[in-house]
């Protein structure tokens, strides 16, 4: 009896997978986003709403994340970025911060296993942010993960930990100044250099090259769950032309329906924008 | 606190539900029982009267239904999108759309002044807009010049301070001179600061801040290690105001993008996207945006325990 139920579940899964692949095939006739970013908001609200144990919301959130990654990579989205932990989140209670760090450590180890999603889709993993702010085990695990997946080239997953956009821009400004400072002092010492020309040594491209997220193009879509419409210091620089979508579902509740909806809207807007651009 | 109510200071009491619609401005108090006033006055009316007593220069004005003065954002930013679309829908040329946009802006400035909003930043012209047809660009810049000249008197009368941010080097010289003149004349006004972003790009703002910092470091005025977030803040063009970070950003015309406006400053800004094009936005749309803002919980990455 159990075997029959097991078989039925398997069949159901295969049918669902097949249908989903058909839908993605149809969608890929139109423009597909190259880079989607997620702000995974609403885990604790989910815990409260369903009266679960402390931290359960984050665990359910993690499996929601795995599903969303699966949909993205199946559709053909090359870059996915997730806002895992902000520098502002260090303000929370030490217990909560510690449990989030433990969860992250756990999940990073899982990602490196053979049967994980990373190897299935050939994903290269990046950890963007001020990694020096993390505790030692998490930082080492992150660096290990980046090394281990460095050879993968089919898709990219960038996990923003200890990240805020203002910190990223600050870091890029500091590095650009340092880089150009060496250049300036070198030129100054060799003499005959006009001092005022230094000012325009720093260009837009210099700053962009030093961003933590420099390896990825700008996101086409930024999705923030739980209905809040703000960026909360996430990808401010890169969001200039991104389509902002904020469904009211909480992060652990997000599913295929929202994903399909955002892709369809993205395609509609992209067609309109391309038309407008051609007019100009 | 309750003692002040016994003095017959005429104050609008629209927060108390009345059967008839109150007249704009001061409400006729005859026939209203003083004790009725005492019992039914909600607590937030107190700060209302304190503001009137302070004589801050703002005339005491009724707030629309559902809005509270304490929860008003200090700084509102607006992307005034949709003038062209509005004109096309009505079968008019784009210039008519922009003129209607100016009217809408005038209304918004008045409302901000009345409702206690301190800073209003508007995205008039982006660096990306330079690629539009030359005729439209010239019209927009001349419209801006005309509007500045004609509104100068009302700025002074209503206590509005004008600041212009953006790369002014690309603007015609007559406009640059006019901008300097207007900024200088209005710099002491305190009721509302209107920041107009012309030829502005959020990324360009950060780049020029970076260049100023590099120059200061080169001149030995700061060390490289001193570069932190507040230093960048000081060098951004929005340092001309006391409240550089918008609390609320409104974008009209249904577009769900930020389009390179105030990138650094929008870190914790609540975003509101309105469907109607800018000339149709008006008081109703603004009230909707403000009441949505006032209902939001802002946590800045922490937790409400």
């Amino acid at each position: 009896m159990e075997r029959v139920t097991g078989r039925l579940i398997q069949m159901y899964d295969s049918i669902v997978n097949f249908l989903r692949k058909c839908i993605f095939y149809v969608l890929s006739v139109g423009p597909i986003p190259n880079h989607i970013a997620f702000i995974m908001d609403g885990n604790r609200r989910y815990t409260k709403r369903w009266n679960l144990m402390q931290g359960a919301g984050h665990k359910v959130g993690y499996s929601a994340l795995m599903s969303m990654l699966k949909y993205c990579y199946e559709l053909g989205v090359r870059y996915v970025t997730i806002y895992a932990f902000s520098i502002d989140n260090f303000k929370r209670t030490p217990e909560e911060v510690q449990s989030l760090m433990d969860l992250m450590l756990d999940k990073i180890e899982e990602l490196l296993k053979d049967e994980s999603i990373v190897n299935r889709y050939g994903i290269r993993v990046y950890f963007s942010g001020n990694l020096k702010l993390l505790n030692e085990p998490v930082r080492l695990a992150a660096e290990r993960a980046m090394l281990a997946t460095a050879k993968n080239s089919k898709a990219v997953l960038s996990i923003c930990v200890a990240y805020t956009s203002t910190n990223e821009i600050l870091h890029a400004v500091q590095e650009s100044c340092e880089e150009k400072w060496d250049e300036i002092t070198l030129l100054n010492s060799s003499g005959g250099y006009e001092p005022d020309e230094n000012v325009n040594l720093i260009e837009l491209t210099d700053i962009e090259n030093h961003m933590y997220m420099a390896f990825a193009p700008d996101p086409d879509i930024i999705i923030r769950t739980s209905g809040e419409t703000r960026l909360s210091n996430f990808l401010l620089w890169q969001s200039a032309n991104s389509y902002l979508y904020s469904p009211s579902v909480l992060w652990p509740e997000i599913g295929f329906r929202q994903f399909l909806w955002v892709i369809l809207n993205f395609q509609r807007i992209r067609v309109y924008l391309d038309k407008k651009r051609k007019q100009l | 606190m309750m003692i002040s109510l016994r003095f017959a200071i005429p104050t609008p009491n629209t927060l108390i539900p009345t059967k008839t619609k109150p007249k704009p401005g001061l409400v006729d108090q005859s026939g209203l029982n003083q004790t009725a006033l005492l019992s039914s006055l909600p607590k937030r009316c107190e700060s209302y009267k304190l503001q009137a007593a302070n004589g801050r220069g703002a005339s005491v004005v009724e707030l629309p239904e559902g809005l509270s003065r304490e929860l008003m954002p200090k700084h509102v930013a607006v992307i005034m999108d949709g003038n062209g679309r509005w004109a096309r829908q009505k079968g008019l040329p784009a210039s008519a759309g922009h003129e209607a946009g100016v009217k809408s802006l005038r209304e918004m400035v008045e409302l901000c002044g009345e409702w206690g909003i301190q800073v209003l930043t508007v995205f008039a012209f982006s660096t990306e807009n330079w690629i539009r047809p030359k005729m439209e660009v010239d019209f927009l810049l001349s419209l801006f010049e005309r509007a500045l000249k004609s509104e100068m008197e009302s700025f002074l009368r209503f206590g509005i301070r004008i600041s212009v941010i953006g790369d002014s080097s690309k603007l015609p010289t007559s406009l640059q001179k006019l901008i300097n003149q207007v900024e200088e004349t209005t710099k002491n006004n305190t009721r509302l600061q209107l920041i107009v972003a012309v030829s502005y790009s959020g990324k360009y703002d950060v780049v020029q801040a970076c260049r100023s910092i590099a120059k200061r470091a080169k001149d030995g005025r700061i060390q490289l290690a001193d570069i932190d977030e507040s230093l960048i803040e000081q060098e951004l063009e929005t340092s001309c105001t006391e409240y550089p970070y918008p609390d609320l950003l409104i974008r009209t015309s249904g577009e769900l993008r930020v389009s390179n406006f105030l990138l650094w400053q929008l870190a914790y800004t609540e975003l509101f996207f309105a469907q109607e094009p800018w000339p149709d936005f008006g008081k109703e749309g603004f009230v909707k945006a403000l009441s949505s803002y006032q209902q939001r919980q802002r946590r800045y990455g922490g937790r409400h325990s």
Side-chain angles (χ1 to χ4, degrees), chain B residues 19-286:
Chain B
K19 286 215 183 72
T20 53
K21 203 166 189 295
K23 291 193 291 259
L26 301 177
V27 179
D28 188 13
Q29 291 235 347
S30 57
L32 272 171
N33 203 336
Q34 278 287 41
T35 47
L37 224 78
L38 272 173
S39 54
S40 54
L41 208 61
K43 197 159 172 280
R44 61 188 175 207
C45 216
E46 308 292 6
S47 61
Y48 217 117
K49 290 200 294 305
L50 282 171
Q51 270 206 336
N54 284 343
R56 209 182 137 264
S59 54
V60 181
V61 181
E62 59 193 67
L63 281 179
E65 185 83 39
L67 289 185
S68 123
R69 195 163 267 257
E70 285 130 22
L71 294 174
M72 276 296 177
K74 292 230 167 37
H75 181 167
V76 175
V78 187
I79 301 179
M80 308 185 291
D81 199 7
N83 295 332
R85 227 161 303 177
W86 179 91
R88 258 200 314 278
Q89 270 170 14
K90 298 219 160 19
L92 298 167
S95 48
H98 294 305
E99 302 257 12
V102 171
K103 263 207 218 89
S104 199
L105 177 58
R106 207 174 285 136
E107 191 185 348
M108 184 118 187
V109 168
E110 270 175 37
L111 292 173
C112 287
E114 287 173 6
W115 293 349
I117 293 168
Q118 321 264 53
V119 186
L120 173 67
T121 305
V122 293
F123 204 8
F125 196 83
S126 147
T127 45
E128 278 98 26
N129 291 146
W130 285 108
I131 60 172
R132 292 214 180 159
K134 188 166 188 311
M135 227 172 60
E136 191 179 349
V137 172
D138 288 341
F139 175 79
L140 279 170
L141 295 177
S142 73
L143 177 64
F144 183 45
E145 212 171 321
R146 265 186 290 137
L148 275 182
K149 283 202 192 111
S150 63
E151 297 297 318
M152 181 77 120
E153 198 209 311
S154 44
F155 293 155
L156 293 170
R157 202 162 9 117
F158 289 117
I160 297 175
R161 177 183 165 190
I162 301 282
S163 306
V164 175
I165 58 176
D167 184 10
S168 52
S169 61
K170 284 191 172 161
L171 302 173
T173 354
S174 58
L175 184 55
Q176 286 185 41
K177 281 213 196 89
L178 179 62
I179 288 173
N180 287 334
Q181 196 192 350
V182 175
E183 284 187 324
E184 190 59 37
T185 337
T186 57
K187 72 175 183 213
N188 290 321
N189 296 341
T190 52
R191 182 159 163 193
L192 168 73
Q193 183 170 15
L194 174 62
I195 303 178
V196 187
V198 180
S199 185
Y200 179 87
S201 141
K203 291 190 186 177
Y204 162 81
D205 203 358
V206 174
V207 172
Q208 67 84 26
C210 184
R211 286 184 188 151
S212 325
I213 291 175
K215 187 153 196 307
R216 279 166 76 176
K218 185 189 80 78
D219 294 342
R221 285 185 276 156
I222 50 168
Q223 300 297 323
L224 282 178
D226 290 335
I227 301 179
D228 63 0
E229 296 194 2
S230 60
L231 196 67
I232 298 187
E233 233 178 83
Q234 286 166 30
E235 296 292 341
L236 290 172
E237 300 210 55
T238 44
S239 58
C240 58
T241 171
E242 205 186 319
Y243 305 103
Y245 293 167
D247 297 301
L248 171 65
L249 170 76
I250 301 173
R251 180 171 187 153
T252 50
S253 194
E255 300 288 345
L256 299 162
R257 297 187 298 280
V258 170
S259 292
N260 208 356
F261 182 47
L262 291 183
L263 296 177
W264 172 282
Q265 298 87 334
L266 291 183
Y268 300 99
T269 307
E270 298 289 336
L271 312 173
F272 182 83
F273 298 102
Q275 283 301 331
E276 59 272 35
W278 174 245
D280 288 338
F281 187 61
K283 182 169 174 179
E284 216 182 291
F286 196 28

Side-chain angles (χ1 to χ4, degrees), chain A residues 88-89 174 202 229-230 233 240, chain B residues 211 227 259 267-268 270-271 301:
Chain A
D88 297 319
N89 293 150
Q174 281 170 333
I202 299 186
T229 13
R230 42 175 194 261
N233 219 335
Chain B
R211 286 184 188 151
I227 301 179
S259 292
Y268 300 99
E270 298 289 336
L271 312 173

Side-chain angles (χ1 to χ4, degrees), chain A residues 198-221:
Chain A
N198 297 343
V199 183
N200 283 344
L201 269 185
I202 299 186
E203 297 291 340
L204 189 73
T205 39
D206 296 318
I207 300 188
E208 295 200 316
N209 288 338
H210 285 113
M211 294 276 195
Y212 293 132
M213 293 288 300
F215 56 85
D218 287 347
D220 297 298
I221 307 176

Side-chain angles (χ1 to χ4, degrees), chain A residues 55 69-70 98 110 117 153 174-175 179 190 196 206 236:
Chain A
L69 289 182
K70 186 170 67 172
Q98 188 56 42
E110 238 181 75
I117 192 175
S153 58
Q174 281 170 333
E175 299 247 307
E179 189 185 63
S190 65
D196 283 334
D206 296 318
L236 297 172

